Amino acid sequence: MSHNTFGHLLRLTTWGESHGPAIGAVLDGCPPGIPIEAQELQQHLDRRRPGQSRHTTQRREPDEVRILSGVFENDTGQQITTGTSIALHIDNVDHRSKDYGDIKDKFRPGHADYTYWQKYGVRDYRGGGRSSARETAMRVAAGGIARKILDGVTIRAALIQVGPNTINRDNWDWSEVDNNPFFCPDPEAATAWEGYLDGVRKSGSSAGAIVEVVAENVPVGLGAPVYGKLDQDLASAMMSINAVKGVEVGDGFAAAALAGENNADEIRMGNDGQPRFLSNHAGGVLGGISTGQDVVVRFAVKPTSSILTTRQTIDRHGNETEIFTKGRHDPCVGIRAVPVGEAMMALVLADHLLRHRAQTGTKTGATG
Ligand SMILES: Cc1cc2nc3c(=O)[nH]c(=O)nc-3n(C[C@H](O)[C@H](O)[C@H](O)COP(=O)(O)O)c2cc1C
């Protein structure tokens, strides 16, 4: 069994390894007639690109995406999707495989080295091969197309915690997210994180983080009972991102501490004649189906495993040894996970939009 594909009507298959010649993806099921240019996808990729600040890996990958198929000019010369499979391609240009020669037989703690070896008996040790987060570049590129399917839906993400340091939610300002190297919506927290992460990096250590992803203007009705729940698919998609160890929807784990009267979102009729929820503890999903409120998902990212500190491990022959990972690594991988979280939200919502249309057509309930 191989699992390089996800989605139902909108299906993404990715391929490639960290230190191979290229990475790529095929996105199948995209409706025809959607205008799309490589530059639009590039904007999203540029936010995930390594080497943009001292707080991310210094690997220099331009991550230039090419669209190889599935698009053609319409009558006015605009490039649009044709409804056929869309192939995306990015060259790997800055891999330094020699960084990994010394450790090819050793299992790096916190990485997939041990499990890949035990499962397959062969592995591309250079930069983690297929387990490398290089693969997430393709998710971001494909997510750019998914966003276009979700016309009118706004998907944004922010870093809300680095190590033990959280933002002050009263300071939340979306316009700040692209003003600092952390995608942080709280400018005061971003300033504090600079010093904190400098210290972490200089001590040869790393830090974890929490990312919050918010989708606004999501239509009511996306998701399905019983095994096609929207929150279930979102949790699976976020958990599939490298280094993610926890996912929550809405109030998530904090809901366990709430009383029922504080958690269940009350409903009134708004002045516009439409139902209006008085709160959003549910994170925009009830019974696995979107309510029309913001869909809110958070995920926790573990601290980078490859650190400039010698660690104990074993090699593939069972010898106890020590390991020191050279390579170039993100001191806090949660930073570059922010655009990846947005992409996964877009891919899941777009898949569910197409599934919703396929099953219900225009037939939906109405209140008011
Ligand atoms: C955007 C991104 C960049 C990453 N970069 C690194 C890195 O430079 N060094 C590292 O040790 N882990 C990095 N990771 C995490 C590893 O890929 C991941 O921990 C490893 O493959 C093991 O998988 P798991 O943590 O999901 O179990 C990164 C993750 C993401 C999302």
Side-chain angles (χ1 to χ4, degrees), residues 288-305:
I289 298 174
S290 61
T291 61
Q293 292 179 282
D294 292 354
V295 174
V296 182
V297 179
R298 270 178 299 281
F299 59 86
V301 185
K302 73 187 190 184
T304 318
S305 302

Side-chain angles (χ1 to χ4, degrees), residues 48 57 110-112 131-133 136 241-245 302 304-306 328-330 333 336-337 340:
R48 196 212 71 102
T57 173
H111 280 277
S131 73
S132 163
T136 62
I241 300 171
N242 312 49
V244 172
K245 296 307 277 184
K302 73 187 190 184
T304 318
S305 302
S306 294
R328 290 157 296 169
H329 302 279
D330 291 284
V333 297
R336 291 174 56 233
V340 184

